[in-house]
Amino acid sequence: MTLLAKLSECLDRPAVVAPVVLVIGYIIYQLFLKPSVLPKQLDIIGAKKGDWFPTLQAKWRNTKDFKAALRIADAEFRDRPGILPLLGVPNLVLLPRGDIQFVQEQPENVLNMHVQTMESLQTDYTSPDPELIHNPVHNKLITTTLTNQTGNLVPDMVEETAYGFEKLWGTDTEYKDVCVYDTLRRVIGLVTNRVFVGNPLCRNEEMLELSMQYAQAVPAAGFFLVSLPKPIHWLVARATSIPLRRLAKRYEKYIRPEIEARLSAYDASRREDLEKKPAGERNDFLQWSIAQAKESGDPYHWKVESLAGRILLLNFASIHTSSFSITHVVLDLAASKQEYVDELRAEIKSVLAEHGGQWNKRALAKMEKLDSLMRESSRMNSFVTVGLMRRVVAKGGITTPSGVTIPCGASVCVPAWQVLHDETVYPDAETFKPFRFAEQRKDDSVEYVKRANKAWATASNEFLAFGHGRNACPGRFFATNELKLMLGYLVMNYDIEIKEGTRPRNNWYSLNRVPSFDATVRIKRRVAKA
């Protein structure tokens, strides 16, 4: 019997045909017929007249060329909301610029960023343990202890920055080529983990490699899972979670002895009723996490698996976007005028001289040109192209200032890329001006608060690179100091130039814009060290 005949015989059996018809019907319903939670009166960004399936076709067009979609949105939807379909992202309602302030002021029980992020990254499947995301107690340590301790941690970060650059960029005084992204993400891994777990564990190459693999795998897995049709999502999601959780287990193997040793030391010190931490107790995120866990009284939080999982999640949050930021600014600087580098070196040298030649938090705060360079690079190359992504969680939905009611379960966002490249907001917006914000901060005709708001870590309606409002990136104060320190060290200790003569173009992956991962620069160690 031929294969075709066997297939025909199978299809003659009701027990076979019925389930097949049901599955196909369910898939067609989910893809084409299921009612949308999005407002029906809104136009679809990227749809064209005559489209049979406007949402699906717009989703394909927008994903293929999101920059073009943003231009369409800016031209046709500047003052009204529209539906923004994209692969790898739940269908969004893009609100007009005038609603930015409205969105950032909404409470968590109306518009929720945490729920939106869990959906976008599919954290129930991509995290080591979903409970770590559902109960993110580490966020409090980021906003309080990490921010407050950044000044005390600068000496450790300086030491690790020097170690990282000498290891990965070397000390050769002749020009050589280096891959910017690959080397700098490893320097960031070293410096960040010096703060997270301390030395020598931060230099464990196998553990660092696993943390970087995880940082790259999570967004890719989240994008893939969100794109799946509902009928197969459950099965594929569980299969996808297996390699990620195996990776987390391998990471845990390296950090487990350190956690166990610290837990034992913590318990021993408390049994002796010491009123303050014992001499030699670490000042890093792992130690703060242990203290927080013990003070909570909940054994779950001081399980080795829980503590290891939180450190791994922090590596994802820190390494992922910081690697993009430092790569962007190095490419920008390498492709710019030498006079900019000279001005930076003069500022850094002058400020360090005022602080006894030592890098510290106060010195970093005074390096306004360095800060401006980082902010301008973030403006030109922001990873955030649509901002303030939130899930509507209020049962009755939400009505925007323009009168549109968006139901519960829908997701909203606001323009970010368009604002960052708007000539009326940033004159000569398409030109890289590294000291744009430093000049504005020195303008005495502007009140002090407005001038201070031009610092890199400061969020506003016109600068959403770190988010805005109560949900702005909690670790941005630490991250900006870390990256400014790294860039300052690089400027004072290396000469850099673009090999090709022009800055490599950025790449777009759906709504995210990232630097070229393969871009190289020519570098050499300066003879006169900082």
Side-chain angles (χ1 to χ4, degrees), residues 20-21 25 41 116 122 131 134 160 178 238 315 338 349 356 360 380 403 469:
V20 170
V21 170
Q41 73 270 34
Q116 178 65 39
Q122 295 285 288
E131 178 61 21
H134 288 280
E160 210 60 33
V178 296
R238 277 155 181 76
N315 268 272
Q338 179 60 36
K349 184 177 180 180
N360 56 53
M380 292 287 290

Side-chain angles (χ1 to χ4, degrees), residues 358-430:
Q358 299 299 310
W359 290 90
N360 56 53
K361 190 177 179 181
R362 291 186 300 278
L364 287 168
K366 288 199 68 176
M367 296 176 186
E368 294 185 356
K369 289 183 178 179
L370 185 66
D371 186 272
S372 176
L373 167 63
M374 297 298 302
R375 186 176 172 98
E376 176 72 349
S377 181
S378 293
R379 182 191 71 80
M380 292 287 290
N381 309 291
S382 176
F383 178 75
V384 177
T385 56
V386 294
L388 308 184
M389 289 179 64
R390 305 284 189 269
R391 179 63 56 87
V392 180
V393 294
K395 290 185 179 179
I398 187 172
T399 301
T400 70
S402 53
V404 175
T405 298
I406 303 171
C408 181
S411 298
V412 302
C413 62
V414 298
W417 180 86
Q418 300 97 309
V419 178
L420 292 170
H421 291 263
D422 189 333
E423 293 282 338
T424 64
V425 180
Y426 300 99
D428 206 7
E430 294 305 318

Side-chain angles (χ1 to χ4, degrees), residues 70-78:
L70 291 175
R71 292 190 186 282
I72 292 170
D74 197 41
E76 301 177 14
F77 294 82
R78 179 176 284 219

Side-chain angles (χ1 to χ4, degrees), residues 162-351:
Y163 171 82
F165 273 108
E166 290 187 10
K167 178 180 175 64
L168 293 158
W169 277 25
T171 56
D172 296 337
T173 55
E174 299 294 330
Y175 274 111
K176 66 177 181 180
D177 296 342
V178 296
C179 178
V180 182
Y181 173 75
D182 186 59
T183 54
L184 292 184
R185 74 187 178 104
R186 294 176 188 279
V187 177
I188 285 178
L190 287 164
V191 178
T192 301
N193 278 281
R194 178 67 177 261
V195 172
F196 288 171
V197 298
N199 189 19
L201 190 58
C202 67
R203 298 181 184 181
N204 184 302
E205 293 187 8
E206 291 82 3
M207 191 183 80
L208 283 176
E209 182 61 34
L210 289 170
S211 67
M212 287 186 286
Q213 286 179 23
Y214 183 79
Q216 290 181 312
V218 168
F223 178 91
F224 171 67
L225 293 176
V226 170
S227 303
L228 291 175
K230 293 292 183 184
I232 61 173
H233 181 276
W234 182 87
L235 180 62
V236 176
R238 277 155 181 76
T240 302
S241 70
I242 294 172
L244 283 168
R245 288 180 180 160
R246 283 179 178 167
L247 193 155
K249 279 293 181 187
R250 290 168 59 199
Y251 176 87
E252 180 192 312
K253 181 183 73 173
Y254 289 102
I255 198 172
R256 173 179 283 275
E258 180 72 12
I259 293 174
E260 290 176 340
R262 293 204 198 186
L263 285 169
S264 296
Y266 185 95
D267 290 341
S269 70
R270 271 55 188 180
R271 282 195 298 271
E272 296 170 8
D273 295 326
L274 294 180
E275 294 183 1
K276 56 184 180 180
K277 67 180 183 180
E281 186 170 282
R282 299 295 190 94
N283 185 32
D284 56 36
F285 207 98
L286 176 56
Q287 197 64 38
W288 309 332
S289 298
I290 289 172
Q292 180 194 53
K294 290 291 187 176
E295 289 165 9
S296 75
D298 184 349
Y300 169 80
H301 292 308
W302 68 74
K303 286 171 55 181
V304 171
E305 295 82 359
S306 300
L307 292 165
R310 292 199 191 281
I311 298 297
L312 183 58
L313 288 172
L314 287 169
N315 268 272
F316 159 66
S318 303
I319 294 174
H320 185 56
T321 51
S322 291
S323 298
F324 298 155
S325 295
I326 194 70
T327 300
H328 278 308
V329 74
V330 168
L331 292 176
D332 288 334
L333 193 59
S336 64
K337 301 174 184 177
Q338 179 60 36
E339 65 189 66
Y340 296 149
V341 177
D342 295 340
E343 284 191 57
L344 284 171
R345 285 175 178 161
E347 177 187 68
I348 294 169
K349 184 177 180 180
S350 172
V351 172

Side-chain angles (χ1 to χ4, degrees), residues 102-116 390-399 406-410 412 470-471:
F102 168 77
V103 171
Q104 71 100 356
E105 288 176 347
Q106 298 309 301
E108 293 280 315
N109 61 353
V110 176
L111 293 179
N112 195 291
M113 186 192 75
H114 193 61
V115 172
Q116 178 65 39
R390 305 284 189 269
R391 179 63 56 87
V392 180
V393 294
K395 290 185 179 179
I398 187 172
T399 301
I406 303 171
C408 181
V412 302
R470 66 176 61 85
N471 290 127

